[in-house]
């Protein structure tokens, strides 16, 4: 049989744009799992962070594929079109879960209206109440939906053996700060009050989210410290915690790794009403004066991520305030890896680490 050659990879890459979604998915997976020597020949030399960490090879290939397919993040795009493109693109790299958990779409009452949520119930559900994870999606406060993170929520429900309630909070620029925070708090409090109605245990509720969603999960964990039912755990995946963007990683990784400096600038200009709001603790939880009294946390960060240093700093601030924290840094990965677990092996390991942490926190006796 003819040995696999670099030209074969290039031919497959050239064919990707003409394929349907499922064939694209399979072809991209095959490309990413070709022999490492060929992948290195395809994408060129290693990329290193200022600290000397090497960008994961599969991640470098995925960035290369994304650029060839014209999928680079364009923060200037019309928000409605950008949301549609994110939803469609998520189907290429999102995890597939089998057997899939059942899910139900609902609208829950909030002040001046209602809010869409999607409730996932794992196949292992029995008659006993299950713990609950309230999940907030990423997307720069202006993108993301129940569709974009559907696979991730399915995976968390199954792996953590928990009911997952995904929250479709209002997005910028149509709804600026603090609309997303208000929705996140209202959703958490609705879940805490009504968990028993969908088989949940109100004494075992976690909050979780990635990027902008990690920001919202952190804010909810802090703002509900005085509630009768408060989170028992917070999973923060490369969370945005400091809107001033003053830490070094914002300069080190301003372009070339999906999330760019230009994108962040546009996202925050759409989300915040003024520069002064950058320092509001409900926007920048790192800048809050008091981090004590919060639930235990797991903080995941990526080595090639503009948000890396503020995630690291938030984990340190929680620990210094006496909050039990597990901080895992995936040095070879980029922002967004949580959504790439179906394609990139190291991202898959990170997703599993997060799910296991949720399971340990929500099932402490088993």
């Amino acid at each position: 049989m003819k040995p696999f050659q670099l030209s074969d990879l290039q031919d497959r890459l050239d064919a990707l744009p003409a394929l349907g979604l499922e064939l694209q998915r399979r072809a991209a997976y095959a490309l990413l799992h070709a022999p490492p020597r060929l992948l290195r020949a395809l994408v060129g030399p290693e990329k290193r962070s200022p600290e000397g960490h090497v960008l994961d090879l599969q991640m470098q290939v995925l960035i290369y594929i994304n650029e060839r397919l014209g999928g680079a993040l364009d923060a200037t795009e019309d928000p409605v079109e950008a949301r549609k493109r994110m939803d469609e693109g998520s189907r290429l790299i999102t995890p597939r879960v089998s057997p899939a958990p059942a899910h139900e779409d609902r609208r829950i009452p909030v002040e001046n209206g209602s809010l869409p949520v999607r409730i996932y119930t794992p196949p292992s559900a029995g008659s006993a109440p299950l713990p609950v994870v309230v999940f907030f999606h990423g997307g720069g406060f202006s993108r993301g939906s129940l569709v974009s993170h559907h696979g991730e929520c399915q995976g968390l429900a199954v792996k953590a053996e928990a009911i997952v309630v995904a929250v479709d909070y209002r997005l910028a620029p149509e709804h600026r700060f603090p609309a997303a925070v208000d929705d996140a708090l209202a959703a958490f409090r609705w879940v805490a009050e009504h968990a028993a109605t969908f088989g949940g245990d109100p004494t075992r509720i976690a909050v979780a989210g990635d990027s902008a969603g990690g920001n919202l999960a952190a804010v909810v964990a802090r703002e509900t410290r005085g509630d009768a039912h408060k989170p028992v755990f917070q999973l923060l995946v490369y969370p945005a915690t400091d809107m001033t963007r003053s830490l070094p990683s914002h300069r080190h990784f301003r372009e070339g790794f999906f999330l760019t400096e230009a994108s962040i600038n546009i996202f925050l200009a759409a989300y915040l009403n003024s520069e002064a709001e950058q320092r509001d603790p409900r926007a920048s939880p790192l800048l809050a004066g008091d981090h004590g009294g919060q639930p235990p946390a797991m903080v995941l960060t990526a080595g090639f991520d503009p948000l890396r240093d503020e995630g690291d700093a938030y984990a340190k601030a929680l620990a210094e305030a006496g909050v039990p924290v597990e901080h895992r840094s995936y040095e070879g990965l980029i922002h967004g890896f949580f959504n790439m677990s179906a394609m990139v092996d190291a991202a898959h390991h990170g997703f599993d680490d997060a799910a296991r942490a949720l399971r340990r926190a929500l099932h402490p006796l088993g």
Side-chain angles (χ1 to χ4, degrees):
M1 186 171 63
K2 176 186 173 183
F4 203 58
Q5 302 291 330
L6 177 60
S7 60
D8 297 322
L9 283 187
Q10 293 168 331
D11 289 344
R12 292 188 182 190
L13 184 57
D14 290 340
L16 275 176
L19 300 177
L21 178 65
E22 185 56 33
L23 289 178
Q24 274 193 356
R25 182 183 176 94
R26 294 179 185 180
Y29 184 88
L31 276 168
L32 287 163
H33 290 82
R37 63 179 179 83
L38 294 182
L39 295 180
R40 178 57 65 201
L42 179 70
V43 299
E46 292 178 342
K47 292 187 177 182
R48 291 181 176 268
S49 70
E51 300 81 14
H53 302 302
V54 177
L55 179 65
D56 178 85
L57 177 56
Q58 287 182 320
M59 190 65 78
Q60 189 172 345
V61 174
L62 189 60
I63 293 171
Y64 182 82
I65 292 173
N66 187 65
E67 291 173 348
R68 288 287 296 269
L69 291 176
L73 186 64
D74 180 6
T76 66
E77 190 176 7
D78 174 76
V80 174
E81 289 302 314
R83 292 164 194 161
K84 183 187 302 184
R85 196 156 70 94
M86 181 173 176
D87 286 350
E88 291 173 350
S90 70
R91 298 173 186 171
L92 183 64
I93 56 177
T94 194
R96 296 276 179 88
V97 180
S98 181
H103 67 271
E104 175 191 1
D105 289 345
R106 292 191 187 183
R107 297 193 71 92
I108 62 173
V110 296
E111 186 177 359
N112 300 321
S114 62
L115 192 64
V117 299
R118 182 170 291 173
I119 301 175
Y120 299 82
T121 303
S124 60
S127 57
L130 284 173
V132 181
V133 179
V134 182
F135 184 85
F136 307 106
H137 65 76
F141 300 101
S142 64
R143 305 178 186 186
S145 69
L146 299 179
V147 173
S148 67
H149 287 64
H150 181 64
E152 287 73 28
C153 289
Q154 286 184 315
L156 292 179
V158 171
K159 293 176 182 291
E161 293 189 66
I163 295 170
V164 173
V165 181
V167 180
D168 204 11
Y169 56 89
R170 289 173 292 170
L171 299 176
E174 298 93 332
H175 305 283
R176 293 176 176 268
F177 176 83
V181 174
D182 292 342
D183 287 353
L185 285 166
F188 174 81
R189 286 167 173 152
W190 181 89
V191 169
E193 185 176 347
H194 296 89
T197 67
F198 53 84
D201 180 352
T203 68
R204 290 184 293 159
I205 303 178
V207 289
D210 64 312
S211 193
N215 169 282
L216 295 174
V219 172
V220 169
R222 185 174 183 277
E223 293 289 317
T224 57
R225 288 178 294 180
D227 287 16
H229 290 301
K230 54 181 72 70
V232 299
F233 189 73
Q234 51 183 320
L235 170 65
L236 311 178
V237 181
Y238 36 78
T241 66
D242 181 1
M243 300 302 184
T244 68
R245 293 157 287 161
S246 58
L247 295 172
S249 59
H250 277 276
R251 297 188 293 277
H252 294 329
F253 310 110
R254 57 167 50 104
E255 59 184 20
F257 303 101
F258 281 172
L259 184 63
T260 65
E261 179 182 51
S263 297
I264 295 172
N265 289 342
I266 292 173
F267 291 153
L268 294 189
Y271 181 53
L272 299 177
N273 300 282
S274 68
E275 186 174 337
E277 286 181 345
Q278 292 178 3
R279 305 194 67 83
D280 188 316
R282 295 173 301 162
S284 297
L286 177 61
L287 306 185
D290 175 20
H291 299 289
Q294 296 196 46
M298 182 180 196
V299 180
L300 277 61
T301 54
F304 289 77
D305 180 2
L307 306 190
R308 182 195 66 189
D309 290 354
E310 61 196 75
D312 293 348
Y314 196 65
K316 182 179 179 181
L318 290 175
E320 289 176 347
V323 177
V325 178
E326 180 180 2
H327 176 210
R328 295 206 177 189
S329 178
Y330 300 88
E331 303 293 3
L333 298 183
I334 69 171
H335 191 87
F337 76 77
F338 199 65
N339 305 89
M340 304 172 187
S341 63
M343 290 288 168
V344 176
D345 293 341
H348 178 79
H349 297 322
F351 184 88
D352 278 355
D353 288 344
R356 280 193 291 267
L358 279 172
R359 194 187 186 289
R360 288 194 301 269
L362 296 173
H363 297 273
L365 300 181

